[in-house]
Each structure stands twice: as structure tokens, then as C-alpha cells.
Amino acid sequence: QLQASGGGLVQAGGSLRLSCAASGRTISIYTMGWFRQAPGKEREFVAAIDSSGRSTYYGDVIEGRFTASRDNSKNTAYLQMNSLKPEDTAVYYCAASWKLTRSQSAYAYWGQGTLVTVSS
């Protein structure tokens, strides 16, 4: 089971760090991905980090503002979000996959999501 947390209300230009903690399953063998879904929009790929933490993959919307990381010893993945914009407002989900990919269908396990709201 994956549990995303760390969302909240932040002003534009601010930062948040999301966490994705796993229970009952080790994440060390999985790529961990982050996705988001804004109101009225489809869920989109944000970032992914491979099982070792050495390779990352980011969606175009990030523009270098977000950083994915992980601590396998804590069974937790992270998404550091800087220079947040109002258009980053969405529910953010973490998910686990066997490969480093942006394809949602490749992610077998999903967390419940955490809401990020960026005010202007």
C-alpha cells in the first residue's frame, strides 16, 4: 500500500515536498512515479525515479522545478516541488512500476493522492 502525503496550500513561488510511504511492500525494487490530476483534466505524468535512485524522468510540465528522490532504507519516495505555480494545483499521486516510464498503464500500485493547492 502506498500513502502520499505532504500536500497543502502554498503561495505561488513557494515549495512543498511530497512523500510516498509504502507499507506491506518494499519499494526498493520498483520505479516510483508521480502523477497529478487537476480539476476537470486528465491525470498526467510528473516524474519518475528508478529503483536505484540513479535515473529520473520528468514530464515536460515540470520545467526543471521538481525533483524526484527516494530513500529505500525508509521505504519512501519524495517529490520536491519548487517555484510552484497556480497551474500546479492538482491531486498528486504516487505509483510503483517495474520500469522507468511515463505510461500510467505500467504502474501497478497507486497511492490515494494528496491535494496541492497553489494560490496566486
Side-chain angles (χ1 to χ4, degrees):
Q1 186 173 2
L2 302 176
Q3 179 85 23
S5 62
L9 175 63
V10 63
Q11 289 188 332
S15 299
L16 281 175
R17 188 176 81 156
L18 305 183
S19 299
C20 178
S23 59
R25 182 184 306 274
T26 178
I27 68 167
S28 64
I29 60 174
Y30 296 103
T31 282
M32 297 302 295
W34 292 92
F35 297 82
R36 69 185 186 186
Q37 187 166 22
K41 295 187 177 181
E42 293 187 351
R43 190 162 57 187
E44 64 179 350
F45 172 74
V46 174
I49 183 167
D50 76 345
S51 59
S52 70
R54 287 192 289 267
S55 295
T56 52
Y57 182 22
Y58 295 99
D60 295 338
V61 295
I62 303 311
E63 301 172 335
R65 298 179 293 122
F66 295 1
T67 302
S69 62
R70 64 193 297 156
D71 186 340
N72 286 339
S73 68
K74 296 182 179 179
N75 219 26
T76 303
Y78 304 96
L79 183 68
Q80 177 67 43
M81 305 187 297
N82 299 326
S83 302
L84 284 162
K85 305 175 182 180
E87 50 265 43
D88 294 319
T89 294
V91 176
Y92 284 72
Y93 299 89
C94 61
S97 172
W98 290 108
K99 57 183 180 179
L100 188 64
T101 177
R102 66 188 301 138
S103 173
Q104 296 184 42
S105 63
Y107 288 82
Y109 307 103
W110 290 80
Q112 88 292 357
T114 185
L115 177 62
V116 172
T117 303
V118 184
S119 62
S120 58

